[in-house]
Amino acid sequence: MVAQVSEIATQVVARSGLNATEVNIDSTLGDLSLWECSVDVSQPGRIVAQIFKEHSLLPGVILTDKGQLAGMISRRRFLEQLSRPYGLEVFIRREIRVLNRLANQKVGDHLSPGHLIFSGETPIVEAAVQSLERPPEKLYEPVVIECSTHRYCLLDIHQLLLAQSKIHELTTQLLRENTQAHLIQTEKLASLGQMVAGLAHEIRNPVNTLWGNVKFLKTYSQDLLDLVDAYKKESGEDPEAIEDLKEDIDFEYLENDLPELIDSMQESAERLNQLVGGMRNFSHMGENHAQLANLHECLDSTLLILRNKLKYGINLVKNYGELPLVECYSGQLSQVFMNLLTNAIDALNEREQSEQWQPEITITTEWLAEADESEWVKIQIADNGVGIPAEIQERIFETFFTTKPVGKGTGLGLAISHQIVTEKHKGELKLRSQPGSGTTFEIWLPISQSSSPD
């Protein structure tokens, strides 16, 4: 909205916009209330004096020379020149160009007016920073805004600083809320880790009992079947009552199915035992000290937990090399593996299915020796999913940055993973991705934490 205020020798227009206290984090200079007032430098000083007299809030006027921008003179600078001895008599009738030239010479600016000129699309915070970097004598001068091509407005520095202060307040509040959310999420993960560890411990004893006793059950059942078979061979034909009972219980089917049933129970008990072991390994979130760990066991424990997600048509390839035991926080690394593998599964699910494409995740491990004789292990987790757009790859490890819909992503997984690898383990987490072809994450870890560089 543009409202005409008055018209004397020139037009003064107040361009309505957001109040400084109504801005948001993404607001630009063009969103603020601006003043539009220009005077040709050939006009006498009394014109500017009259404009300032009639418009007490006007911070300055734009100076033009034959329609081209020639500079700006602020209310403060103009009145300062007129208040000098004989200033009123000297400048009131002379051209504005004379007063402007002398005013700029006073601040050592005789070659160029040097006023700040911003586009209307400039973020408020960026403009405020540049404004505050000006010399002290120009610190409170209004700034020039290019509202459109060859059309300029003025912004009172007071309004700019108020808006910047409001944005700082909003940013601080958002950071506080995000930090609180991060702390809550971290606390939940720690509590979950403790709960899973306790639950796994409680489940492990009965699971071990089942797993151990099913072996005896298999032996005992086979012995009983062998005994029944021996009785049959010795006694010949079974009595009629025995034959009736065998028919009632379908003994022939029972004899064939019982060993298979016990084998299935043994396999399930073994899987349950592995799952509980994997949960215990994965839940070591609160280690106070780095300990030697088998990274292949950490990976397999994580894959075991993700088994339900991986079984739907995803081909898993494990290229495990020979790895030494690595000094690390195994529970935290398991969390990294979980985050990267979950992202890989999501990327595969997002890609459009086709007959020529088979969803695949490849895990590769390697033991490396650098030129400086330091030893590292490298873990690659690669998928052939949708890939990550090039324009956001640099932001992928930023806290709270996510491309997932609201409610499906917190923006913490990769940020926490990066922190665990780089800060906790003094390693590196690298990304390679080709949109449409897939993504590879590389985890580089020093074998020994004590010998790794700070």
Side-chain angles (χ1 to χ4, degrees):
M1 176 182 177
V2 177
Q4 181 173 321
V5 178
S6 72
E7 186 173 349
I8 44 179
T10 187
Q11 189 180 52
V12 179
V13 176
R15 301 187 62 193
S16 299
L18 293 175
N19 185 284
T21 59
E22 299 173 341
V23 297
N24 57 58
I25 293 176
D26 299 320
S27 294
T28 63
L29 296 178
D31 296 327
L32 299 176
S33 297
L34 305 175
W35 289 90
E36 186 175 353
C37 176
S38 60
V39 177
D40 194 278
V41 292
S42 62
Q43 294 288 328
R46 63 181 178 79
I47 298 296
V48 177
Q50 186 178 353
I51 292 172
F52 284 143
K53 182 179 179 180
E54 293 197 5
H55 306 286
S56 59
L57 298 180
L58 183 66
V61 295
I62 300 290
L63 302 179
T64 59
D65 188 359
K66 298 178 182 178
Q68 299 297 316
L69 179 67
M72 181 275 298
I73 187 163
S74 67
R75 173 189 293 272
R76 183 179 66 87
R77 187 63 53 79
F78 180 80
L79 296 179
E80 180 184 278
Q81 294 301 317
L82 292 188
S83 65
R84 295 180 180 277
Y86 306 106
L88 187 62
E89 293 82 356
V90 171
F91 295 117
I92 205 69
R93 293 185 179 86
R94 292 194 178 186
E95 293 182 353
I96 299 298
R97 75 172 81 246
V98 176
L99 185 148
N100 187 48
R101 187 184 304 118
L102 291 175
N104 286 321
Q105 285 178 351
K106 290 293 183 181
V107 295
D109 232 353
H110 59 283
L111 295 178
S112 170
H115 301 296
L116 283 179
I117 303 177
F118 294 106
S119 162
E121 300 300 319
T122 305
I124 289 174
V125 174
E126 179 183 329
V129 170
Q130 293 189 41
S131 297
L132 292 173
E133 291 175 347
R134 292 183 292 181
E137 62 273 9
K138 286 196 171 184
L139 191 58
Y140 297 103
E141 294 284 280
V143 294
V144 181
I145 313 297
E146 188 173 10
C147 303
S148 58
T149 306
H150 303 305
R151 186 180 179 186
Y152 299 91
C153 301
L154 287 176
L155 172 62
D156 191 336
I157 189 65
H158 178 68
Q159 289 294 315
L160 175 60
L161 296 181
L162 276 179
Q164 192 269 348
S165 177
K166 180 62 177 178
I167 291 177
H168 177 73
E169 179 184 337
L170 293 173
T171 304
T172 302
Q173 180 181 352
L174 180 62
L175 181 61
R176 187 184 302 114
E177 291 173 356
N178 287 343
T179 302
Q180 184 67 22
H182 189 182
L183 290 174
I184 292 173
Q185 181 73 5
T186 302
E187 185 177 348
K188 284 182 178 179
L189 288 173
S191 299
L192 180 62
Q194 294 174 0
M195 183 185 71
V196 169
L199 185 62
H201 178 74
E202 292 298 323
I203 295 176
R204 191 171 184 84
N205 289 334
V207 166
N208 282 338
T209 301
L210 290 172
W211 188 49
N213 287 340
V214 75
K215 298 179 181 178
F216 295 109
L217 178 62
K218 183 176 182 179
T219 302
Y220 296 162
S221 63
Q222 188 60 49
D223 289 345
L224 289 174
L225 290 175
D226 290 343
L227 178 62
V228 170
D229 188 56
Y231 267 112
K232 182 178 180 179
K233 289 179 180 178
E234 290 295 329
S235 61
E237 289 293 328
D238 291 329
E240 184 178 349
I242 298 296
E243 286 293 338
D244 291 343
L245 179 60
K246 289 172 67 175
E247 185 176 348
D248 288 342
I249 65 175
D250 198 354
F251 180 75
E252 184 177 350
Y253 175 78
L254 183 151
E255 189 177 19
N256 294 325
D257 188 57
L258 183 59
E260 295 180 4
L261 181 64
I262 295 176
D263 286 341
S264 177
M265 291 172 60
Q266 185 176 16
E267 181 182 351
S268 297
E270 185 174 357
R271 282 181 55 194
L272 187 57
N273 191 49
Q274 292 174 351
L275 181 59
V276 172
M279 289 171 64
R280 292 186 68 215
N281 292 335
F282 185 79
S283 64
H284 291 165
M285 301 297 295
E287 306 110 318
N288 293 322
H289 304 286
Q291 299 179 356
L292 293 176
N294 185 326
L295 294 187
H296 288 159
E297 289 183 359
C298 293
L299 282 164
D300 288 339
S301 297
T302 306
L303 291 170
L304 193 61
I305 295 173
L306 290 173
R307 184 170 181 170
N308 189 55
K309 288 187 175 182
L310 287 168
K311 66 182 181 181
Y312 295 110
I314 296 178
N315 185 33
L316 179 65
V317 179
K318 295 196 293 187
N319 297 324
Y320 286 179
E322 182 180 350
L323 292 187
L325 296 179
V326 177
E327 188 180 2
C328 64
Y329 300 85
S330 60
Q332 296 187 22
L333 284 182
S334 294
Q335 184 183 0
V336 173
F337 299 150
M338 174 72 77
N339 289 335
L340 299 184
L341 286 167
T342 300
N343 281 352
I345 293 170
D346 290 343
L348 293 175
N349 291 333
E350 290 173 12
R351 180 164 174 172
E352 186 176 350
Q353 301 291 323
S354 66
E355 294 182 1
Q356 295 77 23
W357 175 72
Q358 170 65 39
E360 184 172 277
I361 294 177
T362 304
I363 304 175
T364 305
T365 62
E366 191 176 357
W367 183 3
L368 303 169
E370 296 293 300
D372 59 0
E373 299 184 353
S374 61
E375 291 185 295
W376 297 72
V377 295
K378 181 174 71 171
I379 304 101
Q380 284 187 345
I381 298 178
D383 66 73
N384 60 345
V386 293
I388 301 172
E391 61 270 15
I392 66 171
Q393 289 185 20
E394 293 184 357
R395 302 188 59 196
I396 206 69
F397 297 120
E398 290 182 13
T399 305
F400 305 117
F401 177 78
T402 179
T403 58
K404 296 179 180 178
V406 176
K408 292 191 176 181
T410 62
L412 293 174
L414 289 178
I416 291 175
S417 298
H418 188 266
Q419 183 180 19
I420 289 173
V421 172
T422 60
E423 297 182 17
K424 198 73 174 180
H425 290 86
K426 303 173 186 176
E428 296 182 45
L429 180 56
K430 303 178 181 180
L431 165 70
R432 296 198 315 272
S433 186
Q434 184 67 34
S437 299
T439 299
T440 299
F441 284 98
E442 285 187 2
I443 305 169
W444 291 65
L445 298 171
I447 291 178
S448 172
Q449 290 294 304
S450 57
S451 62
S452 58
D454 293 329

